[in-house]
Amino acid sequence: MKILLTYTSMTGRNEKIAKYLADYLKEKGADVDLQEIIDTDAFGLSDYDAVIVETYTYHDGEVPDEAQDFYEDLADVDLERTKFAVLGSSSKKHIHFGRAVDYFTMQLNSSNGEQVSDSVKIDQDTDEDDFKRVKDLGDRVLKSLE
């Protein structure tokens, strides 16, 4: 099973989570391609069995600048029922907590993807409970590929 895990990270939080999740999925036997979102071609997503997108939420609930091209390209992609999940960090201090996670989830659904896990939003730095939720998301992705 081939999984793309693409992420964007400003402070290093999401990079840490992405590497943790990639290692976890590899331990479970998955072939994981870990990439920064700025280097990811949305038109190649259907080449994977599953796609995991990880993003932070910028400013007033916006998709980060470095993820904007990828996000916009998703509108022109047919994911052909490719399984997907979305997660990311944000801050509950902001009124639009995790909104970019919601935007990506909606866009991937609109692109004919098959959502296999509830989206996971993490408030700032990850704690033990957050890592459990990240693992659960990974397990749901893996189970969907059985």
Side-chain angles (χ1 to χ4, degrees):
M1 64 194 108
K2 190 165 182 166
I3 299 172
L4 170 65
L5 199 169
T6 185
Y7 71 95
T8 185
S9 187
M10 178 186 283
T11 63
R13 285 184 187 125
N14 280 335
E15 182 177 13
K16 177 182 172 183
I17 297 164
K19 288 179 178 178
Y20 176 86
L21 181 54
D23 288 344
Y24 179 75
L25 294 169
K26 287 176 185 176
E27 286 173 15
K28 298 286 188 175
D31 177 11
V32 180
D33 188 359
L34 180 64
Q35 308 179 8
E36 289 191 50
I37 208 163
I38 197 164
D39 298 324
T40 303
D41 180 7
F43 294 96
L45 297 185
S46 62
D47 295 341
Y48 293 90
D49 299 309
V51 175
I52 301 171
V53 175
E54 184 179 356
T55 184
Y56 64 91
T57 299
Y58 187 66
H59 201 258
D60 287 329
E62 300 162 12
V63 169
D65 288 343
E66 64 271 25
Q68 198 65 47
D69 289 342
F70 176 80
Y71 177 80
E72 290 173 3
D73 285 348
L74 286 174
D76 297 322
V77 170
D78 182 356
L79 291 178
E80 302 169 11
R81 304 303 299 160
T82 301
K83 293 163 179 18
F84 78 87
V86 183
L87 71 158
S89 65
S90 187
S91 172
K92 288 186 176 179
K93 294 177 186 174
H94 298 290
I95 190 168
H96 304 297
F97 173 67
R99 185 174 275 177
V101 170
D102 297 334
Y103 286 150
F104 270 104
T105 301
M106 289 184 289
Q107 189 74 301
L108 288 159
N109 272 308
S110 295
S111 298
N112 200 26
E114 180 183 340
Q115 186 173 357
V116 297
S117 174
D118 290 339
S119 298
V120 172
K121 297 178 185 179
I122 297 166
D123 184 25
Q124 299 187 43
D125 291 321
T126 45
D127 61 23
E128 200 172 307
D129 288 338
D130 294 324
F131 282 121
K132 286 179 187 174
R133 294 186 306 131
V134 170
K135 280 183 177 179
D136 183 57
L137 179 143
D139 288 338
R140 290 175 187 272
V141 170
L142 292 172
K143 185 165 180 56
S144 75
L145 298 175
E146 293 177 351

